[in-house]
Each structure stands twice: as C-alpha cells, then as structure tokens.
Amino acid sequence: MEGVKALARGWLRLDKDDETRQEIEDLLGRQDLKELERRLCTRLSFGTAGLRAPMGAGFSRLNSLTIMQTSQGLAEFLLREVNGAAAAGVVIGYDARHNSKKFAELAAAAFDVKGINVWLYEDLVHTPLVPFGVKHLHAAAGVMITASHNPAQDNGYKVYGSNGCQINAPMDGQIAASILENLQPIMWDVTLRSKPRGSILTSIRARYLETVNGFCQSIQDSDILKSPLFVYTPMHGVGFTYMASIMNKIGLVEKMVVVGEQAQPDPNFPTVKYPNPEEDGALDLAKSTADRNGISLILANDPDADRFAVAEKIDDEWKQLTGDQVGILLADYLTHKMKDPEGPERKDDNFMLTSAVSSQMLSFVAAGYGISFCETLTGFKWLGNCALDLEHENKRVLLAYEEALGYMFPDIVHDKDGIAAAVVFLNACAEWGSPWAKLEQMYQQYGYFETMNTYWRSSDLDTTVIVFERVRKLGTPFPTSVGDRKVLRWRDLTTGYDSGTDDNVPSLPSPPTSQMITCWLSGTSNDEGVCFTIRASGTEPKIKIYLECRSRGREASRIGAAQLLKVVSREWFNGPNLLIEEKYSHLI
C-alpha cells in the first residue's frame, strides 16, 4: 500500500499537467489503490512501434509526462548516435486525436531545449507525411503522434529513423534505455526556445502531392478520367484534405462522393464502434451513401490515412476486398505498367515485397511476370528497410504490402500510405473497370487463394508460450503431418529452424522473444495445398493464425481452408483456456 502511495507522490513531483495531476490526486483521495497500481506500477514499453496506449495519468498511460520523458530520451539518443542530428532536426506531425497537438508541441519543446532543430507541421497531417518529410528535409528522425485506427481513448508516439523508415532493432532498445536515463522533465513550456524553422507544411504537402501524381503518371497509359464514380470515407480522420487535394490535381474530384457524416476529423469517432475499415460495420455509412447515389465502389482510409480499404457492389451485394486482394491487384497493375528506362535493366532486378503472414499469391504473380519476390517479417519496419537495402543494390521495389490494409510505394515513401494507394488504385480502375472482375481473372490465371485469418484468446501470456511449446513437441524436429496433410516445410523463427533451407537456418531474422511458426502442407484431390502461420501477439494474450488454401476452384479453396482451421483448432489449440474469435466459432 505504502509503495503505491510513494509512486503516486513521485508522480505528482514530476507531473506539471493540471489534468493528469488531478486524476492521481482523486485516486489518492478515494484510496483507489488498485487503480493506482494499474496506472503507476508498470511503465509504457518503448518498442519498434514506439508507444501506443490509452491516455490518462500514470506511467503506464500516454500523457504529458510520458511524452516528455520519451522525447528527452529520444533526443539524447539522437545527439549521441546520429552525426549532425542537432542541425538536421526532427520532423514532428500529429493527427486529430484527443491531445495529439498538445503532445506534438511538448515533444517539439523537448527536442528544442536539447538543442535539436524542430520541423513541426503546423496542422493535422496523415502519417506518411512524416517519413516523407524526413526524407526530403534530410532530418535526423521523425515523430508522428497517432494511434492509427485504435479506439478513441488511445494515442501513440511513432518514431522514424533518418532513412525515413520506422525504427527497428536494435535502435528501439537503445532508445528505450535512453528514455529511462532521462525521466526528470527539464521543461514544461511548449513555447519553442529557438526561432521556429518557419512554415513547412504547405511546401512539404505540395511536394508530396506532386510526387504521388508523378509516380502515377510514370505508370499510367489509360485515361484516368475513365475511373468510376466512387464514395470516399476518411473515417473521421485526416484523410479528406489530402484526398481532395490529389483528386483536384488529377481531375477526379467530381467523381468523388464523400461520406458527409465522416468527412471532418472527430477524435470521438461517433459513427463507428472502431475506426478501422476492417471491422464489421465500419463501412456501413459509406455503403448507405453509395446506395443513395447509385455508386458501386467505396474507398476508405483509417483515421491517420496510412491504410486503405476497398468495397465493391456486385449483383446487389457489397463485397469488401481483403488486404491481400487489394495488394495482389495493385501488384499486377504496377508490374504490368512497369516502365522505367533509368531503372534496372533486368526484369528480375525488380521486386515485390510482402510479409510472412500475407498471401502466397504474390509470389505466383511475381513469377508470372518474371520479377523477383521477397518476404519479410511482419510490419513496415521490415518492409521499408528491406526495400532500402535492395535499392542500395540498384534493385527497384515496385510495391510492398501486408494483409492488414497496408501498401507501400517506395518511389513515394518507405512506409504504408493510404492516400497514395487510393490514387494508384483509381488509376488501375480506369483500365479494369471492375476491380472484382479483374480479381476473378487473376484467380482464373493463378488459382484461388482463400484466406482465413483469426485468433485464439488465451488466459494470459504464459499460456500462449505453453501452447507453442506443446506444438513443438508434436514431432522431432517437427510434426510430419497436420490432420491428413503432410508437412512439406516447417519454419520456426523462434527456435531458428527451417526445413526448407539447405542449412535449416531461416532466411528471415529469428527474434527469440517472439513466437512464430509457419507450416506448408500438401494438397488433396480438391486443392493444391495450404500454408499457415501462427504467431503470438506481442501486446495481449492472443495467438493469431493466417491461413490460406490454394485451389483451381473457389469453393474448393474455401472448403480446404475451413477444414484445416478446424483441424488446427482440434489438434493444436484444443484447451479450456483458448477461445477462437466468435465469427469463426461455428467452424470449430
């Protein structure tokens, strides 16, 4: 009890924000020791995604104090490790969430007091504009205040390196250590000490829009004005300004109908349960708007506009494309339109990238065009840095994507970009007409790839580790079968084993603190095989599965995927402390 109260007193000594001070004082007054313990006994963990957490008082929440401590630690790291960091400066942006502007100004003040130049965007931006700014201003780092598509009570602190990519190990650990060495706030005045660098948003935004337009013109040989009418929703976020600007630039603004109820930024996201286009019901208003206007195509961004979603009405039924389906369509379009006289001379010097949990179909598309395919670990910190490595070898990366609605065009920015994805997609629609019809053509060519991505919730993180260890004991060095299917290849990144390589060492990095197994299985008389990956969530007690079955027929691929999900659930995850996501519970 006294320990928690001592932490509370320590918090009050450090925190000068009246709102969060009052929260802790109220909890002390009510003797709510359990809530004080939740708020104060653990500290936010800084990782490759930076910080993301609910807002509120306490070391485990995002607030003025934790923003200040994080910024001070990052500033010291940059001054110590990045040559010329003080002069190069840090680009800082923020979205429309509660406290985002306040947190951005606090971060800017902390960098400034440490003697680092600050490039603070003067208004709301979409997340890709921060890495874009880092690249074009040659900055030492970038910080974006956003929680992307998390619930309204959350916010985040996302960090980019001087290369314009999300930070990766070991940098995240070094920054985390530096934060712990700089916990005493050195100032609380958000008025920058040095002379501001001047207005940069107008010029950087104009350069960004010109870059997106230039990229599309370099691949375009269809009349963009043939693009269909479409409904657009920014999901109460920052995307509308950017989408309207680029639509004006390319002459399609008259073809865009905006969901009025979701057009302007609103940090409460009042019309959706979760501001994530992937969630059930998130596109209901967009569908209603489209139906009223007789429009059959919907494009959507998440609130910070780095993700992109598509739905199309086919035979009076709305079909929302998965992230894999959109990625495959973009890959086919870009490869087909590939023309860069100054780029690589050999076709196989051009690359498509995706993550280990995304569809295997991209490898078939790449092979069909004779270009190279590369797989990375999950996240754009891996995809972006992989693209840079390839570019340093004079290779060209046309596209990188992952199944969670993220698409990266390295010619524009080395991170996912929902606005750029929307513009490229509309260019493609001018040629395809119907995206769904084009997808069907690709399935006829490459086969049907049916994905079933879901999760089991476990009672705690320890249970998750136990489940993975139990799976590993099903065979030595790995199980020979799953159900009636033979295991063709087994890759365990946790233990560093891959049966598909000559030395049994995975080509992907093997982070020993994570849990991730991928399994390739033989086909049946009805399909051509299944591939699935299971991995543990790093932040909550969940085991996720990304499962895909390939077949020459749609129904056969669906049946194969459903049957395998049932087998895996029965053989691997059949325990009282494991519950599968409700929408797939009927299959088990």
Side-chain angles (χ1 to χ4, degrees):
M1 180 183 298
E2 284 306 315
V4 173
K5 288 183 176 180
L7 284 171
R9 290 191 292 269
W11 170 272
L12 293 171
R13 281 194 300 272
L14 295 172
D15 187 18
K16 304 303 179 187
D17 186 305
D18 291 339
E19 185 177 339
T20 46
R21 282 181 61 86
Q22 191 63 52
E23 282 185 46
I24 297 299
E25 287 172 349
D26 288 347
L27 290 170
L28 276 172
R30 296 199 306 268
Q31 295 286 299
D32 192 342
L33 301 180
K34 186 164 285 189
E35 183 62 20
L36 283 169
E37 185 177 335
R38 277 195 289 266
R39 301 285 192 99
L40 299 169
C41 287
T42 58
R43 175 172 290 280
L44 279 179
S45 176
F46 185 92
T48 52
L51 300 174
R52 193 176 291 185
M55 290 174 280
F59 299 118
S60 66
R61 302 291 182 92
L62 213 62
N63 49 63
S64 296
L65 177 59
T66 52
I67 288 287
M68 186 67 66
Q69 292 172 329
T70 301
S71 301
Q72 291 175 174
L74 177 57
E76 287 293 336
F77 168 82
L78 293 173
L79 292 170
R80 186 174 64 248
E81 300 292 338
V82 180
N83 290 333
V90 175
V91 176
I92 302 177
Y94 58 93
D95 67 4
R97 285 178 175 268
H98 291 294
N99 294 316
S100 282
K101 182 178 181 181
K102 172 183 173 181
F103 291 164
E105 290 174 341
L106 281 167
F111 287 113
D112 185 77
V113 168
K114 291 285 187 178
I116 297 177
N117 283 322
V118 173
W119 303 94
L120 174 62
Y121 287 133
E122 312 92 77
D123 203 351
L124 308 177
V125 299
H126 77 320
T127 291
L129 207 66
V130 169
F132 185 87
V134 169
K135 176 181 176 181
H136 287 272
L137 294 169
H138 306 289
V143 171
M144 178 68 189
I145 306 297
T146 181
S148 193
H149 53 269
N150 274 39
Q153 68 268 22
D154 290 0
N155 215 324
Y157 187 105
K158 192 172 189 177
V159 180
Y160 294 87
S162 59
N163 61 1
C165 290
Q166 294 179 43
I167 60 165
N168 208 341
M171 189 183 295
D172 59 326
Q174 295 166 348
I175 295 171
S178 185
I179 292 168
L180 295 177
E181 296 166 359
N182 291 273
L183 297 179
Q184 180 66 43
I186 57 176
M187 51 74 65
W188 282 92
D189 186 359
V190 298
T191 303
L192 297 184
R193 181 194 62 190
S194 59
K195 185 178 179 181
R197 300 296 296 266
S199 175
I200 60 166
L201 179 55
T202 301
S203 62
I204 294 296
R205 184 163 57 196
R207 187 181 294 186
Y208 166 79
L209 295 172
E210 198 60 52
T211 302
V212 173
N213 188 42
F215 175 72
C216 290
Q217 287 183 346
S218 73
I219 57 174
Q220 176 186 322
D221 57 16
S222 299
D223 183 1
I224 183 65
L225 297 180
K226 291 181 180 179
S227 295
L229 293 169
F230 66 96
V231 163
Y232 172 70
T233 174
M235 205 70 66
H236 296 296
V238 300
F240 177 60
T241 296
Y242 294 87
M243 191 68 170
S245 296
I246 193 68
M247 289 301 105
N248 267 309
K249 197 171 190 67
I250 65 177
L252 289 185
V253 71
E254 297 297 326
K255 296 205 170 189
M256 179 173 71
V257 175
V258 181
V259 180
E261 301 93 328
Q262 298 174 337
Q264 298 306 315
D266 188 329
N268 294 315
F269 311 117
T271 66
V272 291
K273 186 176 180 181
Y274 298 106
N276 181 354
E278 287 183 296
E279 293 286 341
D280 290 341
L283 295 184
D284 284 354
L285 271 176
K287 292 174 183 177
S288 298
T289 302
D291 288 340
R292 286 197 307 272
N293 289 274
I295 295 174
S296 61
L297 182 65
I298 292 170
L299 307 184
N301 290 131
D302 66 343
D304 68 326
D306 64 348
R307 286 176 170 82
F308 170 64
V310 178
E312 186 178 11
K313 197 169 191 178
I314 303 294
D315 297 330
D316 292 326
E317 179 185 356
W318 282 104
K319 296 183 181 292
Q320 184 164 346
L321 278 66
T322 66
D324 282 316
Q325 290 171 329
V326 174
I328 294 304
L329 285 168
L330 289 171
D332 183 82
Y333 175 72
L334 290 172
T335 310
H336 179 61
K337 296 297 180 184
M338 181 175 55
K339 49 182 180 181
D340 183 4
E342 299 179 1
E345 296 181 2
R346 289 161 44 100
K347 261 192 171 184
D348 59 3
D349 281 343
N350 292 278
F351 279 76
M352 292 285 182
L353 311 181
T354 192
S355 68
V357 300
S358 299
S359 176
Q360 300 285 301
M361 188 173 177
L362 184 61
S363 64
F364 287 82
V365 174
Y369 280 102
I371 67 171
S372 298
F373 165 80
C374 189
E375 184 182 67
T376 74
L377 292 180
T378 307
F380 281 85
K381 59 181 178 285
W382 296 102
L383 290 165
N385 282 288
C386 179
L388 279 176
D389 290 343
L390 288 167
E391 289 163 13
H392 291 155
E393 299 173 8
N394 200 34
K395 313 294 186 185
R396 187 186 184 198
V397 178
L398 303 174
L399 171 76
Y401 94 89
E402 67 175 7
E403 51 80 36
L405 306 183
Y407 315 95
M408 179 183 87
F409 309 91
D411 287 5
I412 300 171
V413 68
H414 286 84
D415 198 16
K416 57 185 178 291
D417 186 345
I419 298 296
V423 180
V424 175
F425 196 83
L426 284 170
N427 273 270
C429 285
E431 179 175 304
W432 301 331
S434 164
W436 191 261
K438 175 61 181 177
L439 191 62
E440 284 295 322
Q441 290 177 13
M442 294 183 68
Y443 285 146
Q444 291 297 319
Q445 181 177 357
Y446 299 108
Y448 287 86
F449 292 74
E450 181 70 19
T451 58
M452 287 190 179
N453 300 338
T454 185
Y455 61 84
W456 287 265
R457 188 176 292 278
S458 61
S459 54
D460 52 54
L461 294 174
D462 289 340
T463 299
T464 299
V465 174
I466 292 169
V467 169
F468 273 85
E469 288 304 317
R470 191 170 66 223
V471 168
R472 293 185 179 102
K473 291 177 181 177
L474 293 174
T476 303
F478 57 89
T480 57
S481 64
V482 179
D484 294 331
R485 295 178 185 263
K486 181 182 178 182
V487 175
L488 303 178
R489 179 182 173 192
W490 180 276
R491 183 178 66 198
D492 188 338
L493 293 181
T494 308
T495 63
Y497 178 84
D498 188 344
S499 68
T501 60
D502 291 340
D503 57 2
N504 294 141
V505 176
S507 57
L508 295 180
S510 300
T513 57
S514 65
Q515 299 285 344
M516 185 169 175
I517 295 172
T518 301
C519 188
W520 289 261
L521 302 176
S522 61
T524 67
S525 58
N526 296 317
D527 63 61
E528 298 178 35
V530 174
C531 176
F532 69 92
T533 294
I534 57 170
R535 73 180 184 96
S537 168
T539 57
E540 54 188 333
K542 280 183 179 179
I543 299 173
K544 299 181 178 181
I545 185 168
Y546 306 83
L547 186 152
E548 182 174 62
C549 180
R550 179 177 180 240
S551 176
R552 299 311 302 178
R554 180 189 298 277
E555 190 59 25
S557 64
R558 286 177 176 170
I559 291 172
Q563 288 177 341
L564 202 281
L565 181 63
K566 186 174 183 177
V567 168
V568 171
S569 185
R570 184 180 67 241
E571 293 186 1
W572 290 12
F573 303 125
N574 185 18
N577 296 322
L578 295 170
L579 287 175
I580 195 168
E581 183 184 10
E582 186 176 350
K583 72 176 182 179
Y584 285 111
S585 61
H586 67 284
L587 295 177
I588 307 306

